[in-house]
Amino acid sequence: MDYSGDREVGDAHSSDDRCVTDEERVRDLQRKLYRKAKEEERYRFYVLYDKVCLPYVLREAYRRVKANRGAPGVDGVTFKALEAEGEGEFIEAIRKELVERSYRPSSVKRVMIPKPSGKMRPLGIPTIKDRVVQTACKMIIEPIFEADFQESSYGFRPRRSAKDAVREIKEHLKAGREQVYDADLSSYFDTIPHGKLLILVGLRIADRQMLHLIKQWLKAPVEEDGKISGGKKQKTGTPQGGVITPFTQKVISNLNDNFH
């Protein structure tokens, strides 16, 4: 991903906004954030929450969430129902909640899906509204952490895939490196410690509102068959299925090695 920063990064567009798409504006902002993070390895970003509230960021977040065609969350609201009432009104309502600091995530809907082994894997489905806000947040903070992540890391990263990892493994094999270490962590997503995760995120993000958003998603209750679990007392785990979950995995695995 060709990301890029100047001081506390702002929106650079002015006179030609009509000719620039929301996606292009987001990419431009991400490049600036990436450059700033890459140039100053220990720099902490204090002003980011306002960027999540930008109309074009929320519009692009909605577009990406819709493109994934996910199922509705606990509220049962679908894209069809949202757009029948007005996509613009929906996005503006989210923006207003964020600006007024009144946004609160809903419970996460848990469903069980079968694994190849025959076991069942829990999948958490946030509401469309929460997925939009999570995506907007991820679009802002991801380029900052991409500047720190290791080159050998491929999981859940922009424009990187398992095929890229296999290609690198083949190159290592050709070079005579034939030893392979395979490791897996049991119930990894369920055991991610919130405290450690927030400390690692805080190495780069000093914006309290952004940290509060992430903490709210970590503490969001889980609803399954009408029963509620988790909540504010939950100290570990991130629900698989949320937009922000793969990002938390990357932060734990990459930054823990880089900064310690």
Side-chain angles (χ1 to χ4, degrees):
M1 176 66 68
D2 183 22
Y3 286 133
S4 273
D6 42 8
R7 295 163 293 191
E8 280 290 302
V9 183
D11 183 10
H13 294 285
S14 55
S15 59
D16 294 329
D17 286 352
R18 290 175 297 176
C19 302
V20 182
T21 66
D22 291 336
E23 182 178 15
E24 289 170 335
R25 296 182 72 181
V26 167
R27 296 294 186 200
D28 185 56
L29 178 56
Q30 288 179 319
R31 290 187 187 101
K32 294 176 182 179
L33 291 166
Y34 177 85
R35 280 201 302 263
K36 180 65 176 178
K38 200 69 174 176
E39 291 168 0
E40 300 185 42
E41 295 181 358
R42 301 291 173 168
Y43 184 82
R44 300 177 72 213
F45 291 77
Y46 285 85
V47 185
L48 293 174
Y49 184 82
D50 64 323
K51 295 164 183 57
V52 175
C53 304
L54 289 169
Y56 72 84
V57 169
L58 291 171
R59 288 194 301 266
E60 176 61 15
Y62 179 85
R63 185 189 69 80
R64 296 186 186 188
V65 171
K66 183 182 178 182
N68 288 331
R69 299 181 180 180
V74 294
D75 59 2
V77 176
T78 63
F79 287 103
K80 184 177 180 179
L82 283 174
E83 294 181 356
E85 296 182 4
E87 174 185 327
E89 288 78 1
F90 173 68
I91 295 172
E92 177 57 26
I94 293 177
R95 192 192 70 81
K96 184 177 180 181
E97 284 189 25
L98 289 170
V99 170
E100 295 177 350
R101 309 290 201 270
S102 61
Y103 165 78
R104 298 292 182 274
S106 300
S107 300
V108 176
K109 180 181 179 180
R110 174 176 284 173
V111 296
M112 305 300 291
I113 59 175
K115 298 173 65 174
S117 63
K119 296 182 179 180
M120 302 298 286
R121 179 169 68 93
L123 181 69
I125 306 175
T127 63
I128 293 175
K129 173 182 172 182
D130 290 335
R131 298 205 297 267
V132 170
V133 181
Q134 287 186 18
T135 300
C137 177
K138 178 175 175 285
M139 290 192 308
I140 298 303
I141 62 179
E142 184 173 59
I144 295 171
F145 289 94
E146 275 291 316
D148 298 326
F149 290 158
Q150 300 176 37
E151 283 300 314
S152 58
S153 173
Y154 287 90
F156 304 109
R157 294 185 64 183
R159 296 187 181 178
R160 290 189 175 211
S161 67
K163 291 182 179 179
D164 297 317
V166 170
R167 189 177 299 113
E168 182 171 343
I169 290 172
K170 288 181 177 179
E171 292 300 319
H172 284 300
L173 290 173
K174 290 179 182 179
R177 304 185 187 99
E178 298 179 352
Q179 288 186 319
V180 177
Y181 295 89
D182 184 20
D184 190 17
L185 298 179
S186 177
S187 302
Y188 178 62
F189 284 109
D190 297 331
T191 57
I192 290 178
H194 294 175
K196 184 174 182 180
L197 171 61
L198 291 170
I199 288 173
L200 290 174
V201 172
L203 292 173
R204 277 300 205 173
I205 309 299
D207 187 319
R208 292 184 179 182
Q209 290 298 323
M210 292 293 280
L211 295 173
H212 181 61
L213 274 181
I214 295 172
K215 187 174 182 179
Q216 284 189 92
W217 294 321
L218 292 174
K219 303 293 184 183
V222 175
E223 185 174 325
E224 182 179 7
D225 297 328
K227 298 180 180 180
I228 304 293
S229 61
K232 293 183 179 179
K233 294 183 179 180
Q234 186 77 14
K235 296 184 183 300
T236 60
T238 60
Q240 298 184 52
V243 176
I244 207 71
T245 298
F247 172 78
T248 62
Q249 181 195 26
K250 290 190 297 183
V251 170
I252 284 285
S253 61
N254 282 279
L255 296 191
N256 189 46
D257 291 336
N258 288 356
F259 285 91
H260 292 82

